[in-house]
Amino acid sequence: MVEHFEFAIDRLKTPIGELQIVTDGQGNLRTIDWTEHEERMRLLLDRYYGKGRYTLRPSRDPGGLTRAMRDYFSGNLAIVDTLPVETTGTPFQRSVWRMLRTIPHGTTITYAQLAARIGSPRAIRAAGLANGQNPISIVVPCHRVIGSDGTLTGYGGGLPRKKWLLEHEGAL
């Protein structure tokens, strides 16, 4: 029997655009993305769970996670560290995503540092690609990774949002 996933989806208006928040029945975040990137979000869900093998049901504040994200945008930065996440992906991707969650708000690291922290210092490009495939924006803080020269590079939500998030967290 093919497994079918039931996910809840909610939307949240933020100072930098509207977020889509997708959770599972156990209250874990499965994905967060900007509404103008809904197609990308659905492609990731198709890749990780199988096309036609999941349902997105509109829900208001599933598991309190929409409220938690609202709190983050209101200044409670540490709340994202407490939110439960559940991801699929390769073991390498999951190792990168776990490491991202250890970067404290208000700080940044480089892609080279990210690769070194997962024990693969030569895998800078692979770590960068895994960072870019992160399905849970903000909570798995891929925006805290910057170029080796200190420039803001690569954020799926766009560099202006990355800059805003880093300023909001006190990293810039």
Side-chain angles (χ1 to χ4, degrees):
M1 177 108 193
V2 176
E3 186 174 9
H4 188 84
F5 300 90
E6 294 282 331
F7 298 132
I9 185 169
D10 197 7
R11 296 176 189 275
L12 173 67
K13 291 186 187 303
T14 78
I16 52 175
E18 189 175 53
L19 280 177
Q20 298 176 111
I21 300 165
V22 176
T23 65
D24 62 24
Q26 291 73 47
N28 297 304
L29 285 167
R30 291 296 184 135
T31 187
I32 292 180
D33 209 342
W34 304 99
T35 53
E36 73 266 20
H37 299 295
E38 183 167 354
E39 183 177 335
R40 174 180 67 199
M41 181 191 78
R42 288 185 183 272
L43 287 172
L44 281 174
L45 289 170
D46 288 349
R47 178 182 308 143
Y48 293 135
Y49 303 105
K51 190 173 181 112
R53 293 187 43 215
Y54 63 90
T55 304
L56 293 173
R57 302 230 185 271
S59 179
R60 181 163 293 159
D61 194 22
L65 296 172
T66 304
R67 182 178 62 250
M69 292 307 298
R70 185 178 297 111
D71 289 350
Y72 166 83
F73 281 98
S74 295
N76 182 359
L77 304 176
I79 198 161
V80 297
D81 299 334
T82 68
L83 302 182
V85 300
E86 183 68 36
T87 58
T88 58
T90 68
F92 182 82
Q93 288 172 321
R94 289 194 313 268
S95 73
V96 168
W97 301 335
R98 277 191 303 275
M99 184 55 62
L100 291 172
R101 289 204 81 189
T102 70
I103 306 168
H105 64 270
T107 63
T108 59
I109 66 170
T110 66
Y111 291 95
Q113 290 170 318
L114 177 61
R117 287 184 183 188
I118 61 167
S120 299
R122 296 179 55 135
I124 298 167
R125 290 190 132 195
L129 288 171
N131 187 55
Q133 293 293 313
N134 168 27
I136 307 176
S137 177
I138 303 167
V139 175
V140 177
C142 52
H143 62 279
R144 295 179 189 159
V145 183
I146 61 173
S148 59
D149 61 358
T151 58
L152 302 186
T153 59
Y155 181 65
L159 291 182
R161 281 190 179 125
K162 181 172 186 159
K163 182 178 186 288
W164 189 97
L165 291 166
L166 291 172
E167 287 174 346
H168 177 64
E169 294 179 353
L172 293 181

